[in-house]
Amino acid sequence: MRYLSTRGDATPRQFCDILLEGLAPDGGLYLPAHYPQISAARVAALRQTYAREGYAALAFEILSLYIDDIPADDLRAICAKTYTAQVFGSPAIVPVRPLEGVLHIEALSNGPTLAFKDMAMQLLGHLFEYELARRGEQLNILGATSGDTGSAAEYAMRGKKGVRVFMTSPHGRMSPFQQAQMFSLQDENIHNIAIEGVFDDCQDIVKAVSNDLEFKRRYKIGTVNSINWARLLAQVVYYFAGYFQATSSEGEKVSFTVPSGNFGNICAGHVARMMGLPIAKLVVATNENDVLDEFFRTGIYRVRGSSDTHETSSPSMDISKASNFERFVFDLLGRDGAATRALFGQALSQQGFFDLSADPRFQDAASRYGFASGKSTHADRLATIQDCWQRLGQMIDTHTADGVKVARAHLGAEPMVVLETALPIKFAATIEEALGRLPERPPQFNGIEDLPKRVQVMPADAQQVKDYIARHCA
Ligand SMILES: *Cc1c(COP(=O)(O)O)cnc(C)c1O
């Protein structure tokens, strides 16, 4: 499989060439040159693979369609090490449970940090360690987090050879649970840097360090953000696993609703659908930060300023722009790199929006690609959490509640699977607001707030962060 950029650069690259990279050199995102097609007979065979051999074997089958520069036995071993019942809490890895009527919930949040980002990040940890060892190289991952991404990255990279993580976060602004999750890690290769400032200060520092090309080269600085193709690819697998659990034969269709921010999770659903998985609808659920809902309703994609970006009770969806969205638009425009560049490279930087409302390809988006959308607010979230708990006996987190709220407006005859992207314990304050009680805590997290913390507090100063990295890369 060869990979190309959404902005037209077609230099042939293989999977491992782009594994450790972020953006393509022309500023675009990487996509495979084509989507491998899976026939109905092959889907039926994969159903058997998942039932008989489990999630890791299914993951190997899907990944190997996109990865031909890792020997099959090595890739199989990497999948087997990653997707274990011990790490993800059950042999199904992503168990689907009924909620009500056609509504189902697929649990993607039973990994080490209790959010769906573990599904991809755990695989990335093993892939990075493998590829760095093969090249005899090292990588220093520098990131900024306000919660889920940073902890998923740290739990994926802890103890991995050849990798160090330097994760900045806004000092005192994460929930006590999230702080405890990250700061209690005692691994030598994990460095928590609490910045005296807000999340934007952390992001500015990461940008400033990455823009110092000499420093970046010298200290082998990399990232693990959500535009990484390997993360997206790992997520394709659980759409297959969700389909198999919600249906019993290949004649059936399924719809998915996905709590969305950067469009990474649902973009994997788009890829699965393009491969031929029988998906009826892909419903994008946003919170008050409704950039994506606005696009799918109107055809206008408008990036928000920071004063226009709301802090909500589903904080992992608080985005001003959807960084993976360019991948879908590239497909929508018939994979025209020049047209994609004109929208994302020029229109967005010059006027802050683009408008496809008059384009027939946008008007066909729902019928050709199955997309639909909706939005949920704080009041919707509370009401949905209350309804699911009081009437249906299931406690769901705030992001999943946005999904359930929006899914209910798009129900058809087929099963509707809502992706559960986090467990309630991660957002306990809002659960308490909704239900007047705290969520249950998985036993392995008892008392983590009392563990010793490993964190360095620093002013919002890129130079001090650089000095810290230099001192710890000796
Ligand atoms: C990251 C995250 C999301 C949003 O996922 P995207 O891939 O950015 O759309 C939703 N819910 C939770 C809990 C998350 O951590």
Side-chain angles (χ1 to χ4, degrees), residues 109 114-117 147-149 226 231 235 238 258-267 285 292 314-319 322-324 397-400 419-423 426-427:
S109 41
L114 308 183
F116 92 96
K117 292 186 175 68
D148 288 347
T149 307
S226 78
R231 277 182 67 179
Q235 294 166 358
Y238 55 68
V258 186
S260 297
N262 277 316
F263 202 77
N265 195 350
I266 198 159
C267 195
L292 289 168
S314 44
S316 301
M317 290 149 61
D318 292 350
I319 47 91
S323 45
N324 273 291
D397 104 290
T398 53
H399 306 77
T400 311
L419 300 188
E420 178 173 60
T421 54
L423 289 195
K426 294 200 86 170
F427 304 96

Side-chain angles (χ1 to χ4, degrees), residues 394-452:
Q394 295 200 30
M395 198 182 284
I396 54 172
D397 104 290
T398 53
H399 306 77
T400 311
D402 290 332
V404 170
K405 150 74 173 58
V406 170
R408 284 185 162 145
H410 295 276
L411 299 181
E414 75 287 355
M416 169 63 85
V417 178
V418 178
L419 300 188
E420 178 173 60
T421 54
L423 289 195
I425 184 68
K426 294 200 86 170
F427 304 96
T430 307
I431 302 296
E432 198 173 18
E433 183 183 346
L435 304 179
R437 57 163 281 172
L438 286 171
E440 255 176 55
R441 176 180 286 232
Q444 69 272 32
F445 292 95
N446 281 333
I448 56 166
E449 286 90 343
D450 306 324
L451 294 175

Side-chain angles (χ1 to χ4, degrees), residues 286-288 313-314 375-383 402 405:
T286 74
N287 64 15
E288 290 88 336
S313 47
S314 44
K375 160 185 178 172
S376 164
T377 64
H378 183 69
D380 294 325
R381 218 163 284 139
L382 296 183
D402 290 332
K405 150 74 173 58

Side-chain angles (χ1 to χ4, degrees), residues 32-106:
H34 66 274
Y35 297 115
Q37 295 302 299
I38 303 222
S39 66
R42 185 80 198 278
V43 177
L46 291 174
R47 181 189 293 277
Q48 294 307 316
T49 303
Y50 180 50
R52 296 205 183 118
E53 299 166 57
Y55 191 92
L58 176 66
F60 168 73
E61 293 295 331
I62 308 276
L63 294 179
S64 56
L65 299 171
Y66 291 91
I67 304 176
D68 48 20
D69 51 346
I70 296 178
D73 286 344
D74 292 355
L75 186 59
R76 197 179 281 110
I78 288 170
C79 291
K81 267 200 293 203
T82 303
Y83 297 111
T84 66
Q86 196 197 2
V87 174
F88 287 96
S90 74
I93 307 293
V94 289
V96 171
R97 63 182 192 269
L99 183 66
E100 179 183 34
V102 294
L103 264 177
H104 293 69
I105 291 187
E106 180 172 2

Side-chain angles (χ1 to χ4, degrees), residues 84-399:
T84 66
Q86 196 197 2
V87 174
F88 287 96
S90 74
I93 307 293
V94 289
V96 171
R97 63 182 192 269
L99 183 66
E100 179 183 34
V102 294
L103 264 177
H104 293 69
I105 291 187
E106 180 172 2
L108 305 182
S109 41
N110 295 319
T113 73
L114 308 183
F116 92 96
K117 292 186 175 68
D118 290 329
M119 292 302 306
M121 210 73 94
Q122 287 288 317
L123 180 75
L124 210 61
H126 289 293
L127 284 171
F128 274 24
E129 184 173 55
Y130 175 86
E131 183 59 17
L132 288 167
R134 196 155 73 157
R135 296 183 188 187
E137 284 178 15
Q138 303 226 334
L139 184 70
N140 293 303
I141 294 168
L142 174 64
T145 189
S146 53
D148 288 347
T149 307
S151 56
E154 292 189 353
Y155 279 77
M157 302 298 165
R158 62 187 295 199
K160 297 284 188 300
K161 290 185 209 70
V163 190
R164 291 187 197 87
V165 176
F166 297 89
M167 192 57 65
T168 62
S169 60
H171 183 45
R173 285 175 191 261
M174 288 190 299
S175 75
F177 186 84
Q178 284 177 319
Q179 292 185 39
Q181 268 190 318
M182 287 178 54
F183 301 166
S184 64
L185 288 179
Q186 298 299 324
D187 306 79
E188 282 273 314
N189 68 329
I190 303 297
H191 299 271
N192 289 301
I193 304 175
I195 298 292
E196 293 169 328
V198 294
F199 175 61
D200 281 345
D201 296 313
C202 301
Q203 269 193 318
D204 289 345
I205 288 172
V206 171
K207 269 187 216 144
V209 175
S210 303
N211 287 341
D212 180 344
L213 295 182
E214 160 63 23
F215 184 88
K216 191 177 169 193
R217 223 182 345 257
R218 175 146 181 223
Y219 290 102
K220 311 244 180 291
I221 302 293
T223 56
V224 285
N225 47 29
S226 78
I227 57 165
N228 182 293
W229 165 254
R231 277 182 67 179
L232 205 137
L233 177 58
Q235 294 166 358
V236 173
V237 180
Y238 55 68
Y239 284 87
F240 281 80
Y243 174 78
F244 295 140
Q245 292 176 85
T247 61
S248 50
S249 75
E250 276 39 78
E252 296 171 64
K253 288 201 167 195
V254 158
S255 290
F256 287 94
T257 299
V258 186
S260 297
N262 277 316
F263 202 77
N265 195 350
I266 198 159
C267 195
H270 166 67
V271 172
R273 195 175 184 277
M274 296 297 279
M275 292 169 73
L277 189 68
I279 297 175
K281 274 184 250 170
L282 284 168
V283 184
V284 179
T286 74
N287 64 15
E288 290 88 336
N289 297 293
D290 59 351
V291 181
L292 289 168
D293 179 42
E294 179 175 89
F295 175 79
F296 284 104
R297 276 187 299 105
T298 66
I300 296 170
Y301 180 71
R302 183 173 60 87
V303 170
R304 311 293 199 253
S306 50
S307 63
D308 224 4
T309 306
H310 311 284
E311 257 185 57
T312 76
S313 47
S314 44
S316 301
M317 290 149 61
D318 292 350
I319 47 91
S320 55
K321 61 179 169 58
S323 45
N324 273 291
F325 186 54
E326 183 169 336
R327 288 194 161 107
F328 170 64
V329 171
F330 179 67
D331 284 344
L332 183 73
L333 300 178
R335 303 204 127 201
D336 181 338
T340 308
R341 171 195 293 280
L343 295 182
F344 284 89
Q346 282 119 43
L348 281 191
S349 55
Q350 282 158 23
Q351 57 187 31
F353 74 95
F354 60 74
D355 181 354
L356 294 179
S357 60
D359 190 316
R361 293 171 298 193
F362 166 72
Q363 291 157 359
D364 288 348
S367 58
R368 284 194 59 192
Y369 299 99
F371 274 102
S373 73
K375 160 185 178 172
S376 164
T377 64
H378 183 69
D380 294 325
R381 218 163 284 139
L382 296 183
T384 306
I385 291 169
Q386 282 161 1
D387 176 63
C388 287
W389 178 243
Q390 287 159 3
R391 206 168 51 79
L392 306 171
Q394 295 200 30
M395 198 182 284
I396 54 172
D397 104 290
T398 53
H399 306 77

